[in-house]
Every structure is written in C-alpha cells, then in structure tokens.
Amino acid sequence: MFDPSYYRRCACKAPAVDDDGSPILLANGKPKMRMLDANCPKLPQKGHGTWYFYFELEAGEGGKRRRVRRGGFATKNDAKAKAEEIYRDAVRGADVLSDATVGEDLHAWLKRKRSLARTTRHGYEEHIALYLDPHLGHIKRRDLKLRHVEAMYDAIERENSERLLHHAKVAELQEARDAAYTAWVRAAGKKEERRVTRRAYLDANARLREGRKGKRKITSAATMHRINATLSSLLGTGIKRGEYTTNWAAMVELPAVKRPKALVWTPERVEEWKRTGQKPSPVMVWTPEQTGQFLDYICDDRLYGMWHGPSSVAPDAARCALCPGRRSACPAPGSGSPHRPLRSRTDSTTRLRNRTASAPSPWTP
C-alpha cells in the first residue's frame, strides 16, 4: 500500500550538550555542533528547510524491510510528485533502492556480452570511455532521465565547436609552416638568406607541433547515432532485467546523417585529382576499366583472389578489407609503379565491362 510520510528538515546547527545540559567542547576548546534537522525552531517559517518523504515497499527476502527515502525538495508538492513517480517505477519492476550508477551498469553490461565481435566490442568500449561514462557515468541508475541524455549531446556539440576552432588554428599554422619551408627551399645558393629562412621554418614547425597538442577529431552526426545505439542497447537490456523502466535513448532527437554523394572517377576528375591532390567526394567509384587496371596491378599478389571476388560478384567489399594479413595498396586511377608499370589485361577489363552492360554495377552509387 502506497502511504508516504512527508516532513521538513534543515541544516541549522546548535551547540551539543551532554545529559547534564553542559556544552560539549572539542579538543581546541570550541563547542561541538549538532544538526537540528526536524527539531529546528525555525521550521514553521515559510521557506525554511526542505521537504523529505519516505514510504515502505513490500518486504524483501526473509522479511527484510525496504524503505524508500528521498529529500531536498523545495515544496511539499514537489516531494509528492517525486514519491508517486518512484512508486510507479517500483510497481513496474525497477530497483528504486539501488545506488548503482550508470557507469557501473555500462561496464557490467559490456562484460556480460561475451559473444561480441572484436570490432563491435572495440566500438562499444570507445563509446563508453569517451562519451557515455564521462557524461552519464556518475548519475545513479534510478535518477537517469531524458534531460541527462540530451545534456550529453549538447555537451558533445559544444566540444565540436571548440574542436573546429582548434582545427582551423592548426590549418593556419600548417599553411605558415609550408610557406616557410617553400621560402627556405627557394633560398638555395644564398647563404645568409637560407640561414634566416631555415630558422623561420624551424620556428614555424615548432609552433605547429605545439598547436597540434590536444587536437581531437570532430564527433560527427553518424557517431552520435552510434553512441545513442550503444546507450539504447544498455537501457533495453536494463528494462528486461528490471534495472530501468524507460529507454530514454529512444526519445532523443539527433541531427540527421548526411551521407556523402558517390561520384565516378571520370577522366576529368582523375586529372583534377592529380593536379590538386584533392578528391571530388569522400566516396569515389571506379569504372570497370579502372577496376581491371587495379586487378592487373595486383595479379601477382597472394590475395588476388580475394580482391577479384568483390569486383565480380559484388559482396560487401569492406568485409574483405578486414581480413587479417598483408593488404594490397590500391593505386590511384591511372597511376603506375616505377618498378612494375600498369599492364592492360583484356580479359579482366572486358569481363567487367560485359557484366556491367547486362546488370547494374555493384560499384555505382
């Protein structure tokens, strides 16, 4: 039966006395102070002290008493609302008496997942160490609310703003370093000028090294969604185990993930890349001819069959890239090797061209 009791208490102190009414003194001669709590004479005054409540739950194993107690509320109505909320959570099976924190639950949850793949476990560990534990780990399990999860993502976005400024500063320092290096190289044959420009380059390089300290990557929207998926998995498991009552991660609104547009390596884009060194898009797609050139380039590699498979039957190429062992470097379209120039193997290129003519290419966006 839900029958809470409410009372007020404060943090006022008064000198402690013994049974005879004499003040108790400390070693330094000062009187010992005691908390008045609910016996403070100022409690009848409006606004003095804070409200507390307690109520009994069903007895535990062996008839053990289970009492819920909370405090620190400004008004009695606030205390009533909190008492009803905690009682509802208890009825739904939540452990409202536990002092476990979200951080403890995160580590225990990950420890119980014994069948995770290595890369999945590494991703969970990274999310916990860099984001979830620092922002939510100190919060008690019973106190976790939606506002805490939203505050974590607000903090991540503020950190992103600071990191963007840091990245811009590092880019400026790098440009200054490159300009100083160019001036040093161009001063060849001029002894005095070369000495001055070399010193300027070394100073600029030292400033760049110092500016790079503490540089961290930007937390993208896609990473935020993966962090939220990790938290959602924890809360979903916790609900099944009776540790949580609500999956707050499912209620968070995160920025949309903008996937980069895939572009084909046309001859014009290849020439532009060779001239500037910048890719037109983060995701670039080879043509059948370029794929054939790549296969010709690695024809003697021991993993040739692994690379040839994705280009022919189009499975997820990323899975092949995760295979252990030496990985073959992928040359840029149209580039060659000074030790082994690119050859044109008609069977590889023609076979790929014929496949794309009869079916959609697996390498197109």
Side-chain angles (χ1 to χ4, degrees):
M1 180 179 179
F2 181 55
D3 185 21
S5 298
Y6 303 94
Y7 60 95
R8 273 200 298 175
R9 59 186 297 182
C10 66
C12 295
K13 296 181 179 180
V17 296
D18 55 19
D19 296 338
D20 299 333
S22 302
I24 301 175
L25 302 180
L26 299 174
N28 57 8
K30 295 183 179 180
K32 182 179 179 180
M33 305 300 290
R34 64 182 179 88
M35 300 290 294
L36 293 178
D37 293 333
N39 299 318
C40 179
K42 297 181 181 179
L43 281 180
Q45 300 178 9
K46 186 177 181 180
H48 187 77
T50 55
W51 284 91
Y52 289 72
F53 69 84
Y54 68 88
F55 61 87
E56 301 289 340
L57 297 175
E58 294 182 5
E61 297 180 1
K64 185 177 181 181
R65 189 178 185 180
R66 300 171 66 219
R67 171 176 287 186
V68 178
R69 188 192 304 271
R70 301 285 190 278
F73 303 97
T75 65
K76 187 176 182 179
N77 288 335
D78 293 342
K80 287 182 177 180
K82 187 64 176 179
E84 293 172 358
E85 176 188 341
I86 293 177
Y87 182 72
R88 286 194 302 268
D89 292 344
V91 170
R92 285 184 288 184
D95 186 3
V96 297
L97 295 176
S98 174
D99 288 328
T101 63
V102 177
E104 294 172 354
D105 287 345
L106 283 166
H107 293 287
W109 165 78
L110 185 59
K111 187 177 181 180
R112 289 194 299 267
K113 288 187 169 293
R114 299 181 178 87
S115 59
L116 288 178
R118 177 181 58 84
T119 53
T120 305
R121 180 174 295 277
H122 176 73
Y124 284 161
E125 290 174 347
E126 186 178 66
H127 295 163
I128 292 173
L130 298 182
Y131 304 99
L132 297 175
D133 206 6
H135 293 284
L136 303 177
H138 63 284
I139 301 173
K140 290 185 178 180
R141 173 198 300 166
R142 62 176 186 241
D143 296 332
L144 182 66
K145 300 298 177 188
L146 177 61
R147 66 177 183 274
H148 298 125
V149 181
E150 292 177 336
M152 175 182 68
Y153 293 112
D154 291 341
I156 290 176
E157 290 182 347
R158 287 195 300 270
E159 291 173 358
N160 279 345
S161 300
E162 297 173 358
R163 293 173 187 178
L164 282 172
L165 294 176
H166 191 188
H167 286 202
K169 181 181 178 181
V170 170
E172 292 178 0
L173 293 173
Q174 189 164 351
E175 290 178 1
R177 191 277 309 270
D178 294 342
Y181 179 78
T182 302
W184 177 32
V185 172
R186 291 178 177 175
K190 306 173 184 177
K191 186 175 181 180
E192 187 61 30
E193 182 180 354
R194 186 171 177 81
R195 183 183 298 110
V196 173
T197 53
R198 179 178 180 275
R199 172 48 52 191
Y201 162 71
L202 294 177
D203 292 341
N205 198 40
R207 287 191 295 269
L208 176 61
R209 287 199 304 269
E210 186 67 24
R212 280 175 173 167
K213 291 182 179 179
K215 181 181 177 182
R216 293 184 60 183
K217 65 179 182 179
I218 306 299
T219 304
S220 65
T223 301
M224 290 188 193
H225 281 269
R226 289 192 290 270
I227 295 169
N228 202 58
T230 301
L231 179 60
S232 180
S233 180
L234 162 73
L235 296 178
T237 304
I239 291 173
K240 296 177 182 178
R241 295 170 60 90
E243 298 170 348
Y244 294 88
T245 58
T246 307
N247 189 341
W248 302 111
M251 304 181 186
V252 178
E253 294 187 7
L254 296 175
V257 178
K258 297 180 180 179
R259 296 184 180 276
K261 184 179 180 181
L263 299 176
V264 179
W265 275 116
T266 61
E268 295 77 11
R269 289 170 180 156
V270 172
E271 292 301 323
E272 181 68 15
W273 173 79
K274 288 181 178 180
R275 187 176 63 84
T276 63
Q278 296 182 351
K279 295 193 299 182
S281 171
V283 181
M284 299 300 298
V285 182
W286 284 346
T287 63
E289 290 78 5
Q290 292 163 352
T291 307
Q293 289 179 345
F294 169 70
L295 293 175
D296 292 343
Y297 181 79
I298 63 166
C299 62
D300 297 331
D301 191 274
R302 67 183 182 87
L303 299 178
Y304 175 81
M306 184 196 73
W307 291 109
H308 189 276
S311 64
S312 302
V313 296
D316 185 359
R319 297 180 184 176
C320 296
L322 295 176
C323 292
R326 182 173 60 87
R327 301 175 185 174
S328 300
C330 173
S335 63
S337 168
H339 304 292
R340 182 176 56 179
L342 280 176
R343 304 185 304 276
S344 176
R345 181 184 290 180
T346 305
D347 55 347
S348 296
T349 304
T350 304
R351 192 162 54 246
L352 288 166
R353 188 186 297 112
N354 292 339
R355 287 187 65 89
T356 56
S358 59
S361 173
W363 304 100
T364 54

